Structures are given as C-alpha cells and as structure tokens.
Amino acid sequence: MPIFERQGQSLYYEDRNTSGSEGPPLLLLHSFLCSTEMWRAQIAHCSSARRVIALDLRGHGRSSPVSGSFTLYDMVDDAIGLLDHLGIDKAVWGGLSIGGMIAMRATLRYPSRVAALMVLDSHAGRELASVRIKYAALAALVRTLGIASVVRPVLKLMFGVTSFRRRPDLLAEWRVRFMAVDAASMLLVLDALVGRDSVVEELATIAVPALVLVGKEDLALPPARSREIAAHITDAEFFEVPAAGHLSTLEEPEVINEAIERFLQKVH
C-alpha cells in the first residue's frame, strides 16, 4: 500500500503512472468524509493519457487517524510533500469541496507547483455563521450518539435530489462508507474546515488556467459559491452540472470526465 509519512501522519495515495503521458500529472484531492474512492471514475478515465495521483487526506480513507489540531495550510503542505515524495515539480491540482479549498490555497502559496487548477463544489470564503451553527450541532450529535446519528443529514448534504430519486444504490454505498469514517478524526478535520480563512480577494492573483465545476443541486456549497470563485480568477471556465449535488464526481461521472478532459487538453 503506497504510504508516505509527514508530521507523524501516514498518508495513503494512489499513483497511476501512465507511460507516454501528455502534460503535467493530475493531483486529485477529495471531499470531507470521502477518500480517493470519490475519484474512481476520473482516475480510470484520465489515467489513460496522463499520470494521475490521488491522496487520502489526513484522517480519511486509508490514511492514519489524526489526534491534534491543524489547518488547511497543513493539508496543503501534505499535498506538496506528496509531490516532493514522488519527485514531481508541478501538477494540475484538482479538488472537490475541502479538496478544492486546499488546491486554491496551494495555488496561492506555491504558484510554481501548480500548472492549472480545477475546483469542484467548493468555496473560497470563510464559513458562514449559520453553517457553523449547523455543523456544531451535528458535531455534538456525533460526540454523544456516534456517527450513525448524522448519516442521514450528511447524505442529504452530499447528494442531490436527483440522486435520491434515481440512485439508491449510490446512496446505500456511501451510507456504508460514511458509517465507517473515524469520528474523532472527522471532528478535527471539521474544525480545520470551519475555521478556514477567506482567499476570495487573493484569487485575482492566480495566473494559471482554472476550471470551476459545481453540481446544480449542491446544498452543502451552493452554485453561488463556485460562481464567486470563477468570477475572481482571470482565466477561469465555469460549468454547472445538471442533476448533481455536492459529490458531483459520483453523481454525474461522465459529465465531469468530459469537462475535465476538455480542460486538460489545453494544459501542457
């Protein structure tokens, strides 16, 4: 199992090193509560022509649990550490939700390490006060009753109404995955997530091409958040994905794959 160590964390990653790949590698960073499994369709699709690396963020998936506080910038440095570990100077960074927040901050802090940027279902600003209150209530439930007590509301935040109507298999699969997360780790990641700074005003300094995607039915981070990101980045394309909620890569994988492929064809 491919693992690298940083700050006492064992971080799992996947590396599809395609021979004869075109352009810089693609680095994929998943959503809160998820793992590299969220990108399975994109890894399969993109790795036919390009090297693809996907990281399980701290406390997620097959990476080790976390036991102390940290920030999104520590998670940025985790991803930079992975690139260093693999001997990669520059990559296309793609992230969904918290993964997108990490990718934007990496682009701002380490511009020489970013060839292009893909941000899916994310937010560049601080967490809204109303959302902080909602997440605090969910965290309290987890501490007292366990992760099972919040799986239903989490599913409603993560998946769109179309998926609830048409994809019971997908919801059932991810219900099991959410039930299996390390609750203590997730609470610490949630602290980093809701305590983030705003990078909205800095986005105008991004000088690489960007693709901003969002599910039209995203309730966790509604489309207006992604439109704001696209509006502030000079060379940004914006695309709203019909029939998808927050986990758009799972809900509409073919649509996402096509959008990513078109974008990557421009990145060399």
Short mmCIF file of all heavy atoms in Angstrom, two decimals, residues 44-79:
data_model
loop_
_atom_site.label_atom_id
_atom_site.label_comp_id
_atom_site.label_asym_id
_atom_site.label_seq_id
_atom_site.Cartn_x
_atom_site.Cartn_y
_atom_site.Cartn_z
N ALA A 44 -9.80 6.43 -13.53
CA ALA A 44 -9.84 5.47 -14.64
C ALA A 44 -9.82 6.18 -15.99
O ALA A 44 -9.13 5.76 -16.92
CB ALA A 44 -11.07 4.58 -14.52
N HIS A 45 -10.58 7.26 -16.08
CA HIS A 45 -10.70 7.97 -17.35
C HIS A 45 -9.43 8.74 -17.69
O HIS A 45 -8.90 8.63 -18.81
CB HIS A 45 -11.88 8.94 -17.29
CG HIS A 45 -12.12 9.70 -18.55
ND1 HIS A 45 -12.80 9.17 -19.62
CD2 HIS A 45 -11.75 10.95 -18.94
CE1 HIS A 45 -12.85 10.05 -20.60
NE2 HIS A 45 -12.21 11.14 -20.21
N CYS A 46 -8.92 9.51 -16.75
CA CYS A 46 -7.80 10.41 -17.04
C CYS A 46 -6.47 9.69 -17.14
O CYS A 46 -5.55 10.15 -17.84
CB CYS A 46 -7.71 11.51 -15.98
SG CYS A 46 -9.13 12.63 -15.94
N SER A 47 -6.32 8.57 -16.45
CA SER A 47 -5.03 7.89 -16.42
C SER A 47 -4.69 7.18 -17.73
O SER A 47 -3.58 6.68 -17.88
CB SER A 47 -4.98 6.89 -15.26
OG SER A 47 -5.94 5.87 -15.41
N SER A 48 -5.62 7.15 -18.66
CA SER A 48 -5.30 6.56 -19.97
C SER A 48 -4.35 7.45 -20.76
O SER A 48 -3.68 6.98 -21.68
CB SER A 48 -6.58 6.33 -20.77
OG SER A 48 -7.23 7.56 -21.03
N ALA A 49 -4.29 8.74 -20.40
CA ALA A 49 -3.45 9.66 -21.17
C ALA A 49 -2.52 10.50 -20.30
O ALA A 49 -1.68 11.20 -20.83
CB ALA A 49 -4.34 10.60 -22.00
N ARG A 50 -2.68 10.42 -18.97
CA ARG A 50 -1.92 11.32 -18.10
C ARG A 50 -1.67 10.63 -16.76
O ARG A 50 -2.50 9.85 -16.29
CB ARG A 50 -2.74 12.60 -17.89
CG ARG A 50 -2.07 13.68 -17.07
CD ARG A 50 -3.00 14.88 -16.91
NE ARG A 50 -3.31 15.49 -18.20
CZ ARG A 50 -2.75 16.60 -18.67
NH1 ARG A 50 -1.83 17.21 -17.94
NH2 ARG A 50 -3.09 17.08 -19.83
N ARG A 51 -0.55 10.92 -16.15
CA ARG A 51 -0.27 10.41 -14.81
C ARG A 51 -1.27 11.04 -13.83
O ARG A 51 -1.48 12.26 -13.83
CB ARG A 51 1.15 10.75 -14.40
CG ARG A 51 1.56 10.17 -13.05
CD ARG A 51 3.01 10.49 -12.75
NE ARG A 51 3.46 9.88 -11.50
CZ ARG A 51 4.68 10.02 -10.99
NH1 ARG A 51 5.58 10.76 -11.64
NH2 ARG A 51 5.01 9.43 -9.86
N VAL A 52 -1.88 10.22 -13.00
CA VAL A 52 -2.87 10.69 -12.03
C VAL A 52 -2.48 10.24 -10.64
O VAL A 52 -2.22 9.05 -10.41
CB VAL A 52 -4.29 10.16 -12.37
CG1 VAL A 52 -5.30 10.67 -11.35
CG2 VAL A 52 -4.70 10.58 -13.79
N ILE A 53 -2.45 11.18 -9.71
CA ILE A 53 -2.16 10.90 -8.30
C ILE A 53 -3.37 11.34 -7.48
O ILE A 53 -3.92 12.41 -7.71
CB ILE A 53 -0.90 11.65 -7.82
CG1 ILE A 53 0.32 11.23 -8.63
CG2 ILE A 53 -0.65 11.42 -6.35
CD1 ILE A 53 0.85 12.30 -9.53
N ALA A 54 -3.79 10.50 -6.57
CA ALA A 54 -4.90 10.85 -5.67
C ALA A 54 -4.48 10.58 -4.24
O ALA A 54 -3.89 9.54 -3.94
CB ALA A 54 -6.15 10.04 -6.02
N LEU A 55 -4.78 11.52 -3.36
CA LEU A 55 -4.35 11.47 -1.97
C LEU A 55 -5.53 11.30 -1.04
O LEU A 55 -6.54 12.00 -1.18
CB LEU A 55 -3.61 12.76 -1.62
CG LEU A 55 -3.21 13.00 -0.15
CD1 LEU A 55 -2.17 11.98 0.30
CD2 LEU A 55 -2.69 14.43 0.03
N ASP A 56 -5.42 10.39 -0.07
CA ASP A 56 -6.37 10.34 1.04
C ASP A 56 -5.93 11.38 2.06
O ASP A 56 -4.85 11.26 2.65
CB ASP A 56 -6.40 8.96 1.69
CG ASP A 56 -7.32 7.98 0.97
OD1 ASP A 56 -8.00 8.38 0.01
OD2 ASP A 56 -7.35 6.79 1.37
N LEU A 57 -6.74 12.40 2.28
CA LEU A 57 -6.39 13.47 3.20
C LEU A 57 -6.25 12.95 4.63
O LEU A 57 -6.72 11.85 4.95
CB LEU A 57 -7.46 14.56 3.16
CG LEU A 57 -7.72 15.22 1.80
CD1 LEU A 57 -8.88 16.20 1.90
CD2 LEU A 57 -6.47 15.91 1.26
N ARG A 58 -5.60 13.73 5.47
CA ARG A 58 -5.44 13.36 6.88
C ARG A 58 -6.74 12.83 7.49
O ARG A 58 -7.79 13.46 7.37
CB ARG A 58 -5.04 14.58 7.71
CG ARG A 58 -3.70 15.16 7.42
CD ARG A 58 -3.42 16.30 8.36
NE ARG A 58 -2.10 16.86 8.14
CZ ARG A 58 -1.37 17.45 9.06
NH1 ARG A 58 -1.84 17.58 10.29
NH2 ARG A 58 -0.19 17.93 8.77
N GLY A 59 -6.65 11.70 8.14
CA GLY A 59 -7.80 11.16 8.85
C GLY A 59 -8.84 10.48 7.98
O GLY A 59 -9.82 9.93 8.49
N HIS A 60 -8.65 10.50 6.68
CA HIS A 60 -9.63 9.96 5.74
C HIS A 60 -9.13 8.67 5.09
O HIS A 60 -7.93 8.46 4.95
CB HIS A 60 -9.92 10.96 4.62
CG HIS A 60 -10.67 12.18 5.04
ND1 HIS A 60 -10.07 13.23 5.69
CD2 HIS A 60 -11.98 12.52 4.89
CE1 HIS A 60 -10.98 14.18 5.91
NE2 HIS A 60 -12.14 13.77 5.44
N GLY A 61 -10.07 7.86 4.65
CA GLY A 61 -9.74 6.69 3.86
C GLY A 61 -8.71 5.80 4.52
O GLY A 61 -8.84 5.41 5.69
N ARG A 62 -7.64 5.51 3.79
CA ARG A 62 -6.59 4.63 4.30
C ARG A 62 -5.42 5.40 4.91
O ARG A 62 -4.41 4.80 5.27
CB ARG A 62 -6.13 3.70 3.17
CG ARG A 62 -7.11 2.56 2.92
CD ARG A 62 -6.77 1.77 1.68
NE ARG A 62 -7.32 2.42 0.49
CZ ARG A 62 -7.36 1.86 -0.71
NH1 ARG A 62 -6.86 0.65 -0.90
NH2 ARG A 62 -7.87 2.51 -1.74
N SER A 63 -5.55 6.71 5.03
CA SER A 63 -4.56 7.48 5.78
C SER A 63 -4.83 7.29 7.27
O SER A 63 -5.93 6.91 7.68
CB SER A 63 -4.64 8.96 5.41
OG SER A 63 -4.16 9.18 4.10
N SER A 64 -3.81 7.57 8.09
CA SER A 64 -3.94 7.33 9.53
C SER A 64 -4.88 8.34 10.18
O SER A 64 -5.05 9.46 9.67
CB SER A 64 -2.57 7.39 10.20
OG SER A 64 -1.99 8.67 10.05
N PRO A 65 -5.51 7.97 11.30
CA PRO A 65 -6.33 8.92 12.05
C PRO A 65 -5.49 10.10 12.53
O PRO A 65 -4.26 10.03 12.59
CB PRO A 65 -6.84 8.09 13.23
CG PRO A 65 -6.71 6.67 12.79
CD PRO A 65 -5.51 6.63 11.90
N VAL A 66 -6.15 11.20 12.86
CA VAL A 66 -5.46 12.37 13.40
C VAL A 66 -5.84 12.54 14.87
O VAL A 66 -6.91 12.12 15.30
CB VAL A 66 -5.79 13.64 12.60
CG1 VAL A 66 -5.16 13.58 11.22
CG2 VAL A 66 -7.30 13.85 12.48
N SER A 67 -4.93 13.17 15.62
CA SER A 67 -5.18 13.29 17.05
C SER A 67 -4.98 14.70 17.58
O SER A 67 -5.20 14.96 18.75
CB SER A 67 -4.25 12.34 17.83
OG SER A 67 -2.89 12.61 17.52
N GLY A 68 -4.54 15.63 16.73
CA GLY A 68 -4.31 17.01 17.17
C GLY A 68 -4.83 18.00 16.15
O GLY A 68 -5.16 17.64 15.01
N SER A 69 -4.89 19.26 16.53
CA SER A 69 -5.45 20.28 15.65
C SER A 69 -4.47 20.63 14.53
O SER A 69 -3.25 20.46 14.64
CB SER A 69 -5.78 21.54 16.45
OG SER A 69 -4.62 22.08 17.05
N PHE A 70 -5.01 21.12 13.43
CA PHE A 70 -4.23 21.53 12.27
C PHE A 70 -5.10 22.44 11.43
O PHE A 70 -6.28 22.67 11.75
CB PHE A 70 -3.77 20.31 11.46
CG PHE A 70 -4.90 19.40 11.05
CD1 PHE A 70 -5.56 19.56 9.86
CD2 PHE A 70 -5.30 18.36 11.90
CE1 PHE A 70 -6.61 18.72 9.49
CE2 PHE A 70 -6.35 17.52 11.55
CZ PHE A 70 -7.00 17.70 10.35
N THR A 71 -4.53 23.00 10.37
CA THR A 71 -5.26 23.92 9.49
C THR A 71 -5.27 23.39 8.06
O THR A 71 -4.57 22.43 7.73
CB THR A 71 -4.62 25.31 9.49
OG1 THR A 71 -3.35 25.25 8.80
CG2 THR A 71 -4.40 25.82 10.92
N LEU A 72 -6.01 24.09 7.21
CA LEU A 72 -6.00 23.73 5.79
C LEU A 72 -4.60 23.88 5.20
O LEU A 72 -4.24 23.16 4.27
CB LEU A 72 -6.99 24.61 5.01
CG LEU A 72 -8.48 24.39 5.25
CD1 LEU A 72 -9.29 25.21 4.25
CD2 LEU A 72 -8.87 22.93 5.17
N TYR A 73 -3.81 24.80 5.75
CA TYR A 73 -2.46 25.00 5.22
C TYR A 73 -1.55 23.82 5.55
O TYR A 73 -0.62 23.52 4.79
CB TYR A 73 -1.89 26.32 5.70
CG TYR A 73 -2.63 27.50 5.09
CD1 TYR A 73 -3.65 28.14 5.79
CD2 TYR A 73 -2.35 27.91 3.80
CE1 TYR A 73 -4.36 29.20 5.22
CE2 TYR A 73 -3.05 28.96 3.21
CZ TYR A 73 -4.06 29.60 3.93
OH TYR A 73 -4.76 30.64 3.35
N ASP A 74 -1.80 23.15 6.66
CA ASP A 74 -1.08 21.90 6.93
C ASP A 74 -1.43 20.85 5.88
O ASP A 74 -0.58 20.07 5.45
CB ASP A 74 -1.41 21.37 8.33
CG ASP A 74 -0.87 22.25 9.43
OD1 ASP A 74 0.34 22.55 9.41
OD2 ASP A 74 -1.65 22.66 10.31
N MET A 75 -2.69 20.85 5.46
CA MET A 75 -3.12 19.89 4.44
C MET A 75 -2.56 20.26 3.07
O MET A 75 -2.26 19.38 2.25
CB MET A 75 -4.65 19.81 4.43
CG MET A 75 -5.21 19.38 5.79
SD MET A 75 -7.02 19.44 5.91
CE MET A 75 -7.44 17.82 5.27
N VAL A 76 -2.40 21.56 2.81
CA VAL A 76 -1.70 21.99 1.60
C VAL A 76 -0.29 21.41 1.60
O VAL A 76 0.18 20.84 0.60
CB VAL A 76 -1.63 23.53 1.53
CG1 VAL A 76 -0.65 23.98 0.43
CG2 VAL A 76 -3.00 24.13 1.28
N ASP A 77 0.40 21.53 2.74
CA ASP A 77 1.78 21.05 2.82
C ASP A 77 1.85 19.53 2.75
O ASP A 77 2.87 18.97 2.30
CB ASP A 77 2.44 21.57 4.09
CG ASP A 77 2.73 23.07 4.01
OD1 ASP A 77 2.79 23.60 2.89
OD2 ASP A 77 2.87 23.71 5.06
N ASP A 78 0.79 18.84 3.18
CA ASP A 78 0.74 17.38 2.98
C ASP A 78 0.81 17.07 1.48
O ASP A 78 1.54 16.16 1.05
CB ASP A 78 -0.56 16.80 3.54
CG ASP A 78 -0.62 16.79 5.06
OD1 ASP A 78 0.43 16.95 5.71
OD2 ASP A 78 -1.74 16.63 5.59
N ALA A 79 0.01 17.78 0.70
CA ALA A 79 -0.03 17.52 -0.74
C ALA A 79 1.28 17.91 -1.42
O ALA A 79 1.76 17.19 -2.31
CB ALA A 79 -1.20 18.29 -1.37
#
